[in-house]
Amino acid sequence: MSARHLAKEQPESFEFNADFAALAQKRIAMYPEGKQASAIVPLLWFAQKQHDNWIPEAALRHIGDMLDMAYIRVLEVVTFYTMFNLAPVGKHFVQFCGTTPCWLNGSDKIKNACKSVIGDENIITEDGEFSWLEVECLGACVNAPMVQINDDYYEDLDEDSFKQLLADLKAGNPTKIGPQTDRENSAPLGGNTTLIDNTLYDGSMVGDYKSVLKQIEKAEAEAAKAAAVEAKIKAKEEAKAIKTEAKAETKTEEKPKATPKPKAAATPKAKAAPKAKKTAESATDRVETKPEMLTEARGGKADDLKKISGVGPKIESILHELGVYHFDQVASWDADQIAWVDSRLKFKGRIDREDWIAQAKKFVEEGDK
Ligand code: FES
């Protein structure tokens, strides 16, 4: 890569002619207000086209003014791209690629030909016909080695074909743009080496393709049918599993966790009957009254309500949702409050049946949590 400097000899001024000025305005208008600087590359290109294939300093300033850009910013852009020439070049400006793929394919010989036919790099021949510059990869590596002359690529060069090309340009003869061999664009050298069997494309390998298509359609339909049956069976199995799971959960909740130990000797059975009767009778007279609830457990830690016989994980979570977190809350419920809570549980009558109040009171007395 050569250093990018402005030419020593510069014209006094630069302005776009009417055609390029119109093109420039069209480009600038493509960008939103405040983003006109984005048009810098096309404007530099227009300046180069107008000014004998190189951009004078006055053009850089002119473009900076047009785009409201600091001149140093314009200079940064123009020196970055080797497509912009900052000094006069020959009528046929040769940009020679010396990057690795081209170098591996013999670009040194092209470079030597540049030196021997044209002269030193960046020097215009006396007749003004040629100048050359070594640049980085021009993106045509598959056709290495290559050069760009003005706007055209010449590829798959060797020393002889390159020298002949320069001679034709000097003589004004027509030239062949692209590969200088019989190669077609970037196709393999010597022609295609794969996929060259015509039977791959004429359908003869497939034979009666209509019957093959029918076979494919049939196979696809059968596969879709099998998938539908499988999905149906799977859905049934899943529904069955959910049902079984729900049943198992219900059973677990109904089973008391532990039988509370009576403090005193067992009450004779004959006496228990009237008590149960009384409870059942009083339940019908109750007026549901909401007990005082909490929005969260005190101190952030709820009592283990599952210690109450008849309270499983599910009922405990319902109690939490209602705002019941502690034994003392349960212990404080009266009959109407029991009725309110009872109606919100799945298994009504459980509070009385399991005697939660007595159990909760016991846990409170014992300081259980
Ligand atoms: S290396 Fe020469 S064109 Fe890419």
Side-chain angles (χ1 to χ4, degrees):
M1 175 64 66
S2 59
R4 311 276 292 150
H5 299 299
L6 299 180
K8 282 184 183 152
E9 290 181 22
Q10 294 279 345
E12 286 293 316
S13 62
F14 174 90
E15 273 196 10
F16 280 121
N17 62 30
D19 290 343
F20 280 114
L23 280 173
Q25 290 307 330
K26 205 172 164 187
R27 278 285 165 175
I28 293 170
M30 288 179 177
Y31 298 95
E33 189 59 37
K35 303 289 181 189
Q36 282 69 27
S38 300
I40 185 169
V41 169
L43 263 63
L44 288 168
W45 186 248
F46 296 152
Q48 181 162 290
K49 285 282 171 198
Q50 179 181 314
H51 195 263
D52 288 335
N53 211 12
W54 73 284
I55 308 175
E57 183 183 344
L60 303 181
R61 294 178 186 277
H62 181 60
I63 290 169
D65 291 339
M66 285 178 78
L67 300 178
D68 196 21
M69 288 176 74
Y71 298 147
I72 186 66
R73 296 277 172 255
V74 182
L75 190 66
E76 283 169 357
V77 174
V78 81
T79 51
F80 180 81
Y81 296 105
T82 54
M83 64 189 274
F84 297 127
N85 303 317
L86 301 177
V89 294
K91 179 181 166 191
H92 305 290
F93 175 50
V94 179
Q95 294 183 74
F96 146 77
C97 172
T99 307
T100 312
C102 283
W103 177 72
L104 287 170
N105 277 282
S107 68
D108 276 351
K109 288 181 179 166
I110 308 300
K111 189 174 186 177
N112 288 337
C114 282
K115 285 179 181 170
S116 64
V117 176
I118 301 173
D120 289 337
E121 188 176 24
N122 275 324
I123 302 297
I124 303 172
T125 52
E126 279 184 8
D127 58 7
E129 286 288 316
F130 294 102
S131 67
W132 70 276
L133 171 72
E134 180 170 349
V135 297
E136 297 299 329
C137 177
L138 288 167
C141 327
V142 75
N143 293 89
M146 57 80 65
V147 298
Q148 178 180 350
I149 301 180
N150 295 343
D151 293 339
D152 298 318
Y153 276 17
Y154 296 90
E155 304 157 331
D156 294 320
L157 294 163
D158 58 21
E159 188 177 354
D160 290 341
S161 61
F162 180 58
K163 282 182 174 174
Q164 183 59 50
L165 175 64
L166 295 180
D168 286 339
L169 287 169
K170 188 170 183 178
N173 295 333
T175 56
K176 181 191 172 203
I177 295 165
Q180 300 303 297
T181 60
D182 58 0
R183 182 186 201 175
E184 188 183 341
N185 300 323
S186 302
L189 282 169
N192 294 338
T193 55
T194 57
L195 303 175
I196 50 179
D197 184 351
N198 273 343
T199 59
L200 289 170
Y201 318 110
D202 63 10
S204 58
M205 287 179 81
V206 183
D208 180 4
Y209 75 93
K210 282 188 179 171
S211 71
V212 173
L213 283 181
K214 272 185 188 168
Q215 281 174 27
I216 292 170
E217 281 169 11
K218 194 179 168 193
E220 284 176 347
E222 280 172 3
K225 203 172 166 186
V229 171
E230 199 175 316
K232 209 171 172 182
I233 292 169
K234 200 176 170 193
K236 264 188 182 176
E237 285 173 352
E238 280 174 359
K240 198 175 168 187
I242 290 168
K243 219 171 173 182
T244 310
E245 204 174 304
K247 269 186 186 173
E249 195 176 327
T250 305
K251 274 185 184 170
T252 308
E253 285 177 352
E254 282 178 340
K255 189 179 173 187
K257 284 192 80 182
T259 308
K261 284 183 184 173
K263 271 184 179 177
T267 311
K269 279 184 184 175
K271 283 188 180 176
K275 187 183 174 187
K277 194 182 171 198
K278 189 183 171 190
T279 307
E281 282 169 1
S282 59
T284 56
D285 302 331
R286 292 174 183 176
V287 178
E288 287 186 19
T289 307
K290 184 179 179 182
E292 195 175 328
M293 296 296 183
L294 297 173
T295 53
E296 58 185 352
R298 291 191 294 265
K301 191 168 188 324
D303 294 344
D304 185 3
L305 298 178
K306 295 192 294 301
K307 287 181 178 173
I308 298 174
S309 176
V311 176
K314 181 118 184 181
I315 290 182
E316 186 184 48
S317 78
I318 296 172
L319 289 169
H320 286 173
E321 280 170 21
L322 293 174
V324 183
Y325 296 95
H326 300 284
F327 293 129
D328 61 71
Q329 284 180 275
V330 178
S332 69
W333 293 342
D334 61 22
D336 293 341
Q337 290 170 332
I338 289 172
W340 187 91
V341 177
D342 214 18
S343 70
R344 280 150 185 83
L345 296 178
K346 205 171 172 183
F347 309 104
K348 291 186 179 175
R350 167 164 292 186
I351 300 175
D352 283 332
R353 204 164 53 244
E354 308 282 352
D355 207 356
W356 288 12
I357 309 303
Q359 290 188 63
K361 280 180 180 168
K362 180 173 164 280
F363 290 129
V364 172
E365 283 166 17
E366 292 173 355
D368 225 336
K369 294 285 178 188

